[in-house]
Amino acid sequence: EPEVTQTPSHQVTQMGQEVILRCVPISNHLYFYWYRQILGQKVEFLVSFYNNEISEKSEIFDDQFSVERPDGSNFTLKIRSTKLEDSAMYFCASSGSRGARTDTQYFGPGTRLTVL
Amino acid sequence: AQRVTQPEKLLSVFKGAPVELKCNYSYSGSPELFWYVQYSRQRLQLLLRHISRESIKGFTADLNKGETSFHLKKPFAQEEDSAMYYCALSGYGQNFVFGPGTRLSVLP
């Protein structure tokens, strides 16, 4: 069964550095998402992406964040200048062609980002 | 505003006992509700969604619009059910709003 994959599984960086988290969504999916989960807290929506542009974003997704689909398979989340409070688990998800509210979102295993 | 609450952070039951994981939501329209499960060291997986009205791994959930609830139930818990359970709502947009999660521990 196809799965969403994410790399790396764990990223350690210094405060102020740029990081890029990578995701490969399920191949025939058209809607892509990033969520994060700070340790001990709930999963929070960051951004959704469709047709090469952001379709929705949350208040968390400020100018320090950007997303890109650089080729036909990867979907990346970039944090320009990391802060300590960016330390979290970052989940990528994708959903099918309809993009309807009823579509199941399939999640990747997550990337644990640690900012020192 | 869209909001999902799960009042129990941790729920412990004995094997074979009934389980109910509570989920309440606030949303002014017609919500789409989901339960996701995360087993130890695994990814979030869809357990069930209200629109399909199916039973997965013996779990069921009924949407009660009057009480704005979508509680997850299973009549006889198994040890392999031990996991984190997240209730999620899809409302105005395509993104999910997750509850804080309930850790279910099924004791032998």
Side-chain angles (χ1 to χ4, degrees):
Chain A
E1 188 174 326
E3 289 184 331
V4 176
T5 59
Q6 289 184 245
T7 54
S9 56
H10 191 187
Q11 174 90 46
V12 181
T13 190
Q14 296 287 329
M15 190 169 58
Q17 295 296 303
E18 175 183 285
V19 293
I20 297 176
L21 309 182
R22 291 185 166 77
C23 168
V24 179
I26 293 173
S27 62
N28 63 346
H29 284 181
L30 299 177
Y31 292 81
F32 315 116
Y33 312 84
W34 282 102
Y35 293 82
R36 80 169 184 194
Q37 186 177 29
I38 295 170
L39 189 63
Q41 298 185 26
K42 64 180 180 180
V43 177
E44 300 172 290
F45 168 75
L46 293 178
V47 66
S48 61
F49 191 85
Y50 169 70
N51 199 25
N52 279 322
E53 58 183 30
I54 291 172
S55 47
E56 289 177 64
K57 60 181 181 178
S58 70
E59 293 172 354
I60 304 167
F61 194 88
D62 61 21
D63 292 344
Q64 292 299 312
F65 291 89
S66 62
V67 289
E68 198 176 35
R69 189 153 160 82
D71 52 45
S73 59
N74 289 285
F75 178 51
T76 61
L77 174 70
K78 183 193 290 187
I79 309 175
R80 207 178 332 273
S81 175
T82 50
K83 304 188 279 283
L84 295 176
E85 53 266 35
D86 293 327
S87 294
M89 195 74 156
Y90 287 82
F91 294 104
C92 174
S94 68
S95 65
S97 56
R98 292 183 299 127
R101 289 197 296 129
T102 53
D103 275 356
T104 298
Q105 293 185 18
Y106 294 85
F107 284 79
T111 293
R112 180 167 299 286
L113 176 65
T114 302
V115 182
L116 302 176
Chain B
Q2 303 168 81
R3 195 171 169 217
V4 176
T5 56
Q6 293 177 250
E8 301 133 332
K9 276 188 142 176
L10 173 64
L11 182 64
S12 295
V13 301
F14 286 103
K15 177 182 168 182
V19 165
E20 183 178 51
L21 299 166
K22 291 184 166 53
C23 170
N24 287 89
Y25 65 91
S26 64
Y27 178 66
S28 56
S30 268
E32 301 292 342
L33 284 151
F34 303 77
W35 276 99
Y36 276 80
V37 61
Q38 188 173 31
Y39 300 103
S40 179
R41 299 180 186 280
Q42 295 188 29
R43 67 187 68 205
L44 281 161
Q45 304 172 35
L46 177 71
L47 183 59
L48 56 79
R49 49 186 195 161
H50 94 268
I51 195 171
S52 60
R53 302 186 66 83
E54 57 189 344
S55 172
I56 306 292
K57 300 186 179 183
F59 285 97
T60 58
D62 288 316
L63 178 61
N64 185 324
K65 290 187 178 181
E67 295 183 359
T68 60
S69 68
F70 188 56
H71 303 328
L72 183 69
K73 299 177 186 177
K74 184 169 183 176
F76 308 105
Q78 303 298 315
E79 288 183 69
E80 54 265 30
D81 296 329
S82 295
M84 276 298 282
Y85 290 80
Y86 295 95
C87 183
L89 176 153
S90 176
Y92 303 119
Q94 296 158 347
N95 60 293
F96 282 0
V97 175
F98 281 87
T102 297
R103 181 170 298 283
L104 174 65
S105 176
V106 181
L107 307 172

